[in-house]
Amino acid sequence: MKTPKEKVYGGGRRRRSSRGVSEVLGAALILLSAVFILLTFPLTGWMCAQVVHEHERAVIFRLGRAVKGGAKGPGLFWFIPWLDVIQKVDLRTVSFSIQPQEVLTADGVPLKVDAVVFYRVVDPSLWVTRVKNGYQATRSLAQTTLRATLGAHTLTDVLTRSTFITKRVEEALYTASRLWGVQVERVELKDLTLPVNLKRCMASEAEAARRARAKMIEAEGEVKASGVLKEAASGLSPVAFHLRYLQSLSSVQSGASIVVVSLPTELLDGFVSHQP
């Protein structure tokens, strides 16, 4: 009776032998196909030629395995039509929009955010062999990465440091998608939608801050004006001060609701002199 170690060794040896047989058969098929193409070249030449555009690359699978040497193109290349399967990959930059995502920020504020992502394929072989439906995979990865990145920041950071946050999203996407042969070029936040109640609170806060600043400016103006008036009054003689007092009384408009009482300046001087 064989031990487990002997069974494992025997299974590995059988797999190696079967792999060697398949490689020999594959090489024989390739050799026979090459001979057949050479013998019937004028007729089969047009079947074995393929043209790839400048912005494309062709990944060739021969008997189920990727051909060594990487992707083919651009230009003309040869292949065996009954043994090879060709998959073309577009190298141009692709963009897609991320649908509005419900995000809860680090300080517990719910908001909706949507973004646009730009990426391109830099390794066609990895793009074909490592991921199935790479466009959908990249889209799903961008959605989850955007939600996770925004959830780690507060609302103030999201509103004031959007450039920093987009850089963080780009780095996270690049780290996760480079194994697929993808390079994320740019991520941009399109819109941030806040709850209505939060918008009202922020508007009220901004209005209160504007009113406070206006009152401070008005108070500073009054302080400066009073200082100027005090400086001007200190340089007036008693006669000039009396004439200014009479001029101020004459400038007051008389009316049914306004009563002007004139007092001698001596009384005012006596009142001022008795103040502590």
Side-chain angles (χ1 to χ4, degrees), residues 202-243:
M202 295 177 65
S204 300
E205 183 180 358
E207 182 66 21
R210 286 194 296 268
R211 290 180 180 178
R213 286 195 299 268
K215 290 181 179 180
M216 292 179 61
I217 293 173
E218 183 179 359
E220 291 176 358
E222 291 180 355
V223 171
K224 292 180 181 179
S226 62
V228 173
L229 291 175
K230 181 180 179 181
E231 183 180 356
S234 63
L236 294 176
S237 63
V239 177
F241 182 77
H242 186 67
L243 291 175

Side-chain angles (χ1 to χ4, degrees), residues 135-146:
Y135 176 80
Q136 184 63 34
T138 305
R139 189 184 188 93
S140 301
L141 179 63
Q143 291 178 356
T144 55
T145 303
L146 178 64

Side-chain angles (χ1 to χ4, degrees), residues 133-165:
N133 194 354
Y135 176 80
Q136 184 63 34
T138 305
R139 189 184 188 93
S140 301
L141 179 63
Q143 291 178 356
T144 55
T145 303
L146 178 64
R147 189 183 300 113
T149 304
L150 291 179
H153 293 80
T154 62
L155 178 62
T156 304
D157 292 338
V158 174
L159 296 178
T160 60
R161 305 177 62 190
S162 58
T163 303
F164 172 76
I165 292 176

Side-chain angles (χ1 to χ4, degrees), residues 41 50 92 119 123 143 147 159 178 186 188 190 212 216 220 223 232 237 239 261 273-274:
F41 179 74
Q50 186 77 20
R92 292 176 292 185
Y119 75 94
D123 193 328
Q143 291 178 356
R147 189 183 300 113
L159 296 178
R178 64 180 179 178
R186 192 172 182 179
E188 290 291 341
K190 294 173 61 178
M216 292 179 61
E220 291 176 358
V223 171
S237 63
V239 177
V261 179
S273 63
H274 284 83

Side-chain angles (χ1 to χ4, degrees), residues 16 23 59 99 117 121 160 173 186 223 231 240-241 249 251:
R16 286 195 297 270
E23 290 179 355
V59 180
Q99 298 299 324
V117 179
V121 179
T160 60
L173 287 177
R186 192 172 182 179
V223 171
E231 183 180 356
F241 182 77
L249 291 177
S251 64

